[in-house]
Amino acid sequence: MKTTYLLNMIRHCLLCCIIAFTSMSAAIEVTDLYVAKVTVTTQQSKARNQALKLALSSVFVKVSGQQQVLTQPKVKAALVRYNQFLSKYHYERKGDQNYLVASFNEVKINQLLINENIPLWGSLRPQVVFWVVDENGLTRQIISGSSESPVQQQIIQFSEQRGLPILMPLMDLTDANEITTSDVWGRFSYPLIKASQRYLAETLVVLRISNRSLLSEQELQTVESCPLCQPSFVIDWHLISDANDPASVKVGKAYQGLDKTVLLEQVLSDITDQIYQSYALNSDENNEVIIDIANVSSLSVYAEVVEFLTQLSSVQSIQLITAQGEKRQFSLKLIGSKQALMSSLKLHQALKLQYDPLAPVSENAVPVFYWSK
């Protein structure tokens, strides 16, 4: 009897710890998906038309989450007819640089992408923390969010262009006590996850930029024998897609070349494409999934749950299947995959998935959620 009680207490404590830990991650609602800013040198009509076309291109990439959307025939045609999608524009100046800021029609852009079965990436997106180590010869340094280095500025600019919420660590005393440069360079999941908790990260990325250690032995000998030669760089990346799961690791390929800026742009695009795969909604996929909600205690809570599920961009329609006590079972018809739905629910945090660490794993098990609003 005591053994059973003790086991139940352990299960309860583990469950509480896991739920508390998973609730620490956060999502960011990107509010300017249909707005783009383009540098301009003049306000003449020819330059303005070109800037508006570039701005619409940027919006298509942000909304779809992928650069290759610009190769689609209907998107190419839309770029020629950019005025049909334009809502308004204005000019602004920052420092010594002039910009054209353009806003485009959300409904028209979404409808075009849906008609062409091009996946959409919703406005709720994961908070991503970038741990970047820049190796220069024999020295390595973690780049902080306040460093204003060229690498930091390029990453933040990319974040704005692609609508991906990116943070870089402060590297203050708190970070220094949690993680070392060797931890980041070695891509050790547990210290990375622990150090990222303060940033409420959903996804972690490690970038290693090197002009020495990641080079081959032959290339390194060439560099050492020719100090005046232009250095070659290698950039590789490591992604932990779920900040609560150290095993959710994706290792990207390494890029090598003479231009660090070009290499970094390629790597950042790869990472964004990888992240967006979990959240994009494809109108060509129609799946159904059954979920349980365990704590629907009143009619008003039921109405809140139904309204929440109905408004999810990944859900086409819902149907109540059973009602037993406080438990309600729903059938959801999805736009896209079950993975996209689960990722979306994890970001919203209104429905929290119940975890039982001691229960057997079954792919066919109905997921059980708790309404937390």
Side-chain angles (χ1 to χ4, degrees), residues 46-261:
K46 184 177 180 180
R48 180 177 64 248
N49 294 339
Q50 183 62 27
L52 289 171
K53 183 176 179 180
L54 289 174
L56 181 56
S57 299
S58 176
V59 167
F60 274 124
V61 171
K62 280 201 293 185
V63 174
S64 69
Q66 51 181 331
Q67 190 75 31
Q68 66 183 21
V69 71
L70 300 179
T71 65
Q72 298 296 318
K74 290 296 178 67
V75 173
K76 287 182 176 180
L79 294 177
V80 176
R81 300 179 285 105
Y82 59 85
N83 277 327
Q84 296 182 15
F85 298 86
L86 181 65
S87 297
K88 60 182 179 180
Y89 72 90
H90 68 273
Y91 292 96
E92 65 179 42
R93 184 176 180 85
K94 185 176 181 181
D96 58 354
Q97 184 63 62
N98 293 313
Y99 296 92
L100 180 145
V101 182
S103 301
F104 296 91
N105 187 287
E106 176 178 350
V107 174
K108 290 183 178 179
I109 288 174
N110 287 354
Q111 193 59 56
L112 184 149
L113 296 176
I114 290 172
N115 289 345
E116 297 304 307
N117 291 322
I118 297 172
L120 305 180
W121 195 356
S123 61
L124 202 62
R125 303 191 174 189
Q127 179 68 77
V128 185
V129 173
F130 270 63
W131 295 91
V132 183
V133 178
D134 192 5
E135 179 185 68
N136 184 17
L138 297 176
T139 64
R140 293 172 182 166
Q141 181 182 12
I142 298 176
I143 299 179
S144 73
S146 59
S147 68
E148 296 187 358
S149 70
V151 171
Q152 183 264 358
Q153 292 180 11
Q154 185 175 352
I155 291 174
I156 298 306
Q157 184 179 20
F158 182 89
S159 169
E160 297 173 355
Q161 291 172 347
R162 295 292 292 267
L164 182 64
I166 292 176
L167 282 177
M168 298 180 72
L170 298 173
M171 295 315 301
D172 54 9
L173 287 176
T174 301
D175 284 336
N177 288 329
E178 293 285 355
I179 199 165
T180 66
T181 303
S182 297
D183 290 330
V184 181
W185 186 266
R187 303 182 292 190
F188 299 126
S189 296
Y190 285 99
L192 283 165
I193 288 175
K194 186 178 179 183
S196 299
Q197 289 176 12
R198 67 184 297 207
Y199 300 107
L200 303 178
E202 174 69 24
T203 299
L204 317 181
V205 173
V206 176
L207 288 184
R208 300 191 302 181
I209 305 171
S210 171
N211 63 0
R212 185 176 179 87
S213 297
L214 301 182
L215 297 178
S216 68
E217 186 175 344
Q218 181 179 359
E219 291 165 335
L220 188 57
Q221 289 176 353
T222 302
V223 171
E224 292 176 344
S225 64
C226 183
L228 298 180
C229 293
Q230 185 175 357
S232 181
F233 294 95
V234 176
I235 303 180
D236 63 11
W237 59 273
H238 180 96
L239 171 73
I240 301 176
S241 59
D242 184 345
N244 303 314
D245 181 7
S248 61
V249 172
K250 169 71 175 179
V251 179
K253 68 177 183 178
Y255 283 98
Q256 183 170 350
L258 300 177
D259 192 325
K260 184 192 292 189
T261 301

Side-chain angles (χ1 to χ4, degrees), residues 276-327:
Y276 120 98
Q277 291 291 342
S278 299
Y279 301 95
L281 310 176
N282 194 330
S283 59
D284 199 32
E285 292 184 50
N286 289 295
N287 301 307
E288 291 190 13
V289 64
I290 295 175
I291 66 169
D292 285 344
I293 301 179
N295 61 334
V296 182
S297 57
S298 66
L299 187 60
S300 62
V301 172
Y302 174 78
E304 291 176 359
V305 169
V306 170
E307 182 181 8
F308 169 77
L309 293 173
T310 303
Q311 291 179 350
L312 287 175
S313 56
S314 56
V315 175
Q316 186 175 27
S317 62
I318 68 171
Q319 180 182 358
L320 178 66
I321 300 178
T322 61
Q324 296 180 344
E326 291 189 355
K327 186 174 77 173

